[in-house]
C-alpha cells in the first residue's frame, strides 16, 4: 500500500484557510468548460438555434454563473439578435442583480442601439440595488453624453444623497469640473462637502487639497490661499504631531495631512510673496522647536535655535518670550558641566538686547540676573563677569565696571579676570592701578610666569628699568614656577637688549647651575659670539665646556644637537679648518638591538634603535665597532671574490665550446 497520501504532520497549519476560500479555489482550478467550443461551432455554422439551445441547457445546469450569462448575451449581440440579447440580459440581472458587469453590458447594449429611454430605465432599475460609486458615475456620464445635463446633475445629486461621504462629494465635484464643465457647480459641491458632511468626513485632508487645487486651476489664488490657511488652522498642519495623535487619526490620514501641508508650501512658493513663503516655513519650524522643548525642556541647543529663529523673523516680544522661557529652565544640579550651555542663553539674551534692541540698561539687567543665579561658592564663570563689566564700559560707567571686576576677583578669582581688568586699566592709562592689580595677581598666583613677564614688560614699557630687573630677580627666585624657562629667557633677553653683556653672562651661568640643558648651552655660546658677547674664542670655549659636560653625563643625542649648532656657528663665523675640526667630532649613527621589557620586567621582544659612536670615545664600544667594521670589510671582500670566480668559470666554458666546434 502506498504511503504517499498519508499525513505525517498532524499539527494545525500556521495559516488557516476558510471553507469559502477552499470552494473558491476549487472552482478556479476546475478545467475550462467545454461549452465554448460547442456553441462556437454551431455559431460558425449559422446554426443559431442549436447554439442558443446549448446556452439554455448550460444555464439549466448553472444558472448563477454570471460569466455564462455574459457569453450568452455576447453571442446574441454578435449576431445582431438585439431582442434576444435584451431578453438574456434582462433575465440575467433579475437572477444576479449584484453582478455589476451584467448591468454594464445591458446599458452598453441599449446605448449602442440608440434606445436611450430603455437605457435610462435599465439604469434606474440598477440604482434601486444601491450599486457602488462607479455605477452612479456611469449613469451620470450617460446622461451627459445624451445631452441631458439637468438629468445628469440630478443623478449625481441622488448619488451624494445615497452615499453622504467625502469620496462621493469629491467625485461629484470632479465630474462637474471636467465632464459637465460647470465651475460654479463644482465650487458649490466643494463648499457643501465642508459644510454638510459630518465632522470626520468634512475634515479629511483630501477635501481641502482637492478644493484648493480646483481653485488654483481656475486662477483663484486668493480663494486657494484662504482654503489652505483654513486647513492649516483647523487641522493643525505643520505643527506638533501630539494633537494629531490625540485625535487618534489613522496613518493614511496623517500622511494625507502631511501631503496637504507640502502642497500649501509649494503653492506659496509658486504663487505667494516672500512674506507668505516665510510664514509657511516658519510655522513648521516653530512647531518642530516646540515639539523638541516640550519633550526635553533642558535641551538648550533647541532653545538656541528657537531663539535664533525668532530673532531673524519674529518681533521683540516673541524673542524675549522665548529667552525668558528658556532661562527659566535651570540645570538639574549645581555642577559646572550642567551650567556650561545654560549660561550662553543669558549671554545671547543680553547680546540681543544690546545689539538689536539697543537697550543697554536691559542688557545690564540680564547680566545681573544671571550673576545672581550662579552659585559662586561652588563654581563661577569668568566670561559672565567680563562681559558684564565691558557692557558697563560701553555704557560709560567705569565706576560700575571696576566695582564689578573687583567683586569678580573676590568671588571668582580666575586668571582671565585679572588679565581683562589689567587690560582695561592699561587702556585707560592707569599704571598705578595696573601695578596694584599685578600685585594682587601675583599674590594669588605666584607660580604664574606669564603674570611675572607681563608685569616686567609693563615696567619696562614705562621706562622703569630697575623695577623691571627687580621683578625678574624676584620671579626667578620663586621656588615653584609653571614655565621657568620663559622667565629666564625674558630676563636674559632684557639684559641683552639693555646692553648689559656681563649681567646676561652671569644669568647664563646662574641658569646653567640649575639646569644643564643643551639649548641653554647653545644659546650661551651663540650669545658669546655676538657683538655684546666676549668674542669668537669665548663662544668656542663655551661649546667645548658644553661638549665636555654632556659627554660626562653620557647624553649622546644632546651632544649631536650641540655639534650641529656648533658646525652651523663655525660655518657662519669660522674658517674651513674650524669647520673641519667640528666635522671630525661628528659621530657615526649605527643600528642596534635591545630587549624590550614591560613594567614587571617581562621580556617583550627585541627592538631596533639608533646609537651614536663618537670618534673621541675609546673602550669596549670602540673595539666592538672596529671588529664589526673589519667583519663587514671581510664579508664584502668574500662577495667580490665569489663574483670574480663565477666570471672565470663562464669564460672557461666558452673556450671549451669553441674547441669542440673546431674539431668538428
Amino acid at each position: 500500500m502506498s504511503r504517499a497520501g498519508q499525513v505525517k504532520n498532524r499539527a494545525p497549519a500556521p495559516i488557516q484557510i476558510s471553507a469559502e476560500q477552499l470552494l473558491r479555489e476549487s472552482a478556479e482550478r476546475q478545467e475550462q468548460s467545454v461549452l465554448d467550443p460547442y456553441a462556437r461551432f454551431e455559431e460558425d455554422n449559422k446554426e443559431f438555434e442549436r447554439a442558443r439551445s446549448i446556452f439554455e441547457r448550460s444555464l439549466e445546469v448553472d444558472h448563477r454563473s454570471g460569466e455564462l450569462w455574459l457569453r450568452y448575451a455576447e453571442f446574441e449581440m454578435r449576431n445582431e439578435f438585439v431582442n434576444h440579447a435584451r431578453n438574456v440580459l434582462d433575465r440575467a440581472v433579475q437572477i444576479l442583480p449584484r453582478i455589476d458587469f451584467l448591468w454594464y453590458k445591458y446599458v452598453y447594449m441599449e446605448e449602442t442601439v440608440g434606445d436611450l429611454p430603455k437605457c435610462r430605465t435599465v439604469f434606474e432599475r440598477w440604482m434601486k440595488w444601491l450599486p457602488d460609486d462607479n455605477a452612479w458615475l456611469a449613469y451620470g456620464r450617460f446622461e451627459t453624453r445624451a445631452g441631458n445635463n439637468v438629468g445628469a446633475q440630478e443623478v449625481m445629486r441622488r448619488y451624494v444623497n445615497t452615499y453622504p461621504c467625502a469620496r462621493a462629494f469629491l467625485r461629484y465635484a470632479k465630474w462637474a469640473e471636467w465632464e459637465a464643465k460647470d465651475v460654479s457647480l463644482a465650487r458649490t459641491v466643494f463648499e457643501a462637502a465642508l459644510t454638510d458632511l459630518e465632522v470626520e468626513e468634512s475634515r479629511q485632508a483630501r477635501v481641502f487639497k482637492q478644493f484648493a487645487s480646483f481653485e488654483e486651476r481656475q486662477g483663484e489664488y486668493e480663494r486657494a490661499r484662504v482654503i489652505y490657511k483654513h486647513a492649516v488652522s483647523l487641522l493643525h498642519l505643520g505643527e506638533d504631531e501630539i494633537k494629531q495623535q490625540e485625535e487618534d487619526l489613522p496613518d493614511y490620514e496623517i500622511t494625507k495631512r502631511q501631503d496637504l501641508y507640502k502642497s500649501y508650501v509649494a503653492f506659496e512658493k509658486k504663487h505667494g510673496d516672500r512674506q507668505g513663503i516665510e510664514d509657511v516655513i516658519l510655522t513648521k519650524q516653530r512647531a518642530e522647536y516646540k515639539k523638541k522643548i516640550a519633550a526635553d525642556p533642558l535641551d538648550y541647543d533647541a532653545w538656541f535655535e528657537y531663539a535664533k529663529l525668532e530673532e531673524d523673523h519674529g518681533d521683540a516680544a516673541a524673542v524675549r518670550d522665548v529667552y525668558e522661557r528658556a532661562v527659566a529652565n535651570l540645570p538639574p544640579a549645581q555642577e559646572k558641566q550642567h551650567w556650561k550651555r545654560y549660561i550662553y542663553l543669558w549671554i545671547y539674551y543680553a547680546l540681543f538686547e544690546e545689539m538689536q534692541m539697543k537697550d543697554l540698561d536691559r542688557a545690564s539687567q540680564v547680566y545681573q540676573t544671571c550673576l545672581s543665579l550662579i552659585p559662586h561658592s561652588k563654581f563661577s564663570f569668568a566670561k559672565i563677569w567680563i562681559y558684564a563689566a565691558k557692557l558697563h564700559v560701553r555704557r560709560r560707567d567705569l565706576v560700575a565696571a571696576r566695582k564689578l571686576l573687583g567683586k569678580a576677583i573676590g568671588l571668582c578669582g580666575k586668571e582671565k579676570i585679572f588679565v581683562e581688568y589689567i587690560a582695561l586699566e592699561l587702556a585707560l592709562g592707569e599704571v598705578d592701578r595696573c601695578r596694584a592689580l599685578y600685585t594682587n595677581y601675583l599674590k594669588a598666583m605666584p607660580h604664574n610666569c606669564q603674570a611675572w613677564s607681563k608685569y616686567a614688560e609693563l615696567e619696562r614699557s614705562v621706562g622703569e628699568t630697575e623695577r623691571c630687573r627687580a621683578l625678574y630677580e624676584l620671579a626667578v627666585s620663586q621656588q615653584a614656577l609653571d614655565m621657568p624657562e620663559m622667565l629666564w629667557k625674558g630676563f636674559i633677553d632684557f639684559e641683552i637688549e639693555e646692553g648689559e653683556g656681563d649681567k646676561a653672562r652671569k644669568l647664563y651661568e646662574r641658569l646653567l647651575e640649575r639646569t644643564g640643558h643643551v639649548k641653554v648651552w647653545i644659546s650661551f655660546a651663540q650669545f658669546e659670539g655676538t657683538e655684546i658677547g666676549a668674542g669668537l674664542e669665548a663662544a668656542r670655549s663655551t661649546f667645548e665646556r658644553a661638549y665636555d659636560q654632556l659627554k660626562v653625563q653620557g647624553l649622546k643625542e644632546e651632544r649631536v644637537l650641540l655639534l650641529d649648532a656648533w658646525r652651523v656657528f663655525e660655518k657662519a663665523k669660522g674658517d674651513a679648518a674650524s669647520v673641519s675640526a667640528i666635522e671630525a667630532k661628528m659621530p657615526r649613527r649605527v643600528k642596534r638591538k635591545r630587549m624590550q621589557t614591560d613594567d614587571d620586567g617581562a621580556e617583550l621582544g627585541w627592538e631596533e634603535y639608533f646609537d651614536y659612536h663618537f670618534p673621541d670615545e675609546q673602550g669596549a664600544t670602540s673595539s666592538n665597532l672596529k671588529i664589526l667594521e673589519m667583519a663587514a670589510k671581510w664579508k664584502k671582500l668574500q662577495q667580490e671574490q665569489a663574483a670574480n670566480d663565477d666570471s672565470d668559470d663562464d669564460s672557461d666554458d666558452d673556450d671549451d665550446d669553441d674547441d669542440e666546434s673546431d674539431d668538428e
Side-chain angles (χ1 to χ4, degrees), residues 443-556:
K443 286 181 180 178
M445 305 174 191
H447 61 280
N448 194 324
C449 294
Q450 187 74 24
W452 286 105
S453 298
K454 292 293 183 182
Y455 193 4
E457 290 176 4
L458 171 65
E459 295 295 350
R460 185 183 177 191
S461 64
V462 297
E464 295 289 346
T465 305
E466 293 301 324
R467 293 175 69 95
C468 178
R469 184 176 290 111
L471 282 173
Y472 274 123
E473 287 289 349
L474 184 61
V476 297
S477 64
Q478 299 295 317
Q479 295 297 324
L481 294 172
D482 54 1
M483 291 186 293
E485 65 278 1
M486 183 184 71
L487 270 179
W488 283 99
K489 184 179 185 304
F491 196 0
I492 292 172
D493 291 343
F494 163 73
E495 296 293 357
I496 293 174
E497 291 175 3
E498 292 293 325
E500 299 289 344
D502 294 337
K503 292 182 178 180
R505 187 176 297 105
K506 291 179 181 179
L507 288 176
Y508 272 119
E509 295 291 348
R510 290 170 57 187
L511 180 57
L512 288 172
E513 292 175 0
R514 297 193 178 193
T515 177
H517 198 278
V518 63
K519 290 186 177 180
V520 178
W521 283 108
I522 293 173
S523 178
F524 188 12
Q526 291 174 347
F527 158 73
E528 293 290 5
T530 59
E531 295 179 357
I532 198 174
L536 185 59
E537 294 300 326
R540 289 171 178 166
S541 176
T542 304
F543 275 120
E544 288 286 351
R545 286 175 55 197
Y547 185 81
D548 295 340
Q549 183 68 29
L550 295 175
K551 181 178 178 181
V552 172
Q553 296 176 359
L555 302 176
K556 294 185 177 182

Side-chain angles (χ1 to χ4, degrees), residues 584-641:
K585 294 177 176 290
M586 297 300 292
R588 282 184 52 198
R589 192 174 72 163
V590 294
K591 185 185 293 185
R592 293 186 177 181
K593 292 184 179 181
R594 60 187 173 191
M595 179 64 67
Q596 280 186 313
T597 58
D598 57 9
D599 296 337
D600 298 331
E603 295 183 353
L604 300 177
W606 293 92
E607 69 168 352
E608 292 184 349
Y609 72 99
F610 289 101
D611 195 7
Y612 295 96
H613 171 60
F614 292 87
D616 57 353
E617 288 183 342
Q618 300 295 331
T621 304
S622 178
S623 300
N624 292 334
L625 289 174
K626 289 181 179 179
I627 293 173
L628 290 175
E629 290 178 359
M630 294 174 64
K633 290 180 179 179
W634 177 83
K635 184 176 180 181
K636 184 177 180 180
L637 181 61
Q638 292 294 326
Q639 291 176 351
E640 292 177 354
Q641 291 179 355

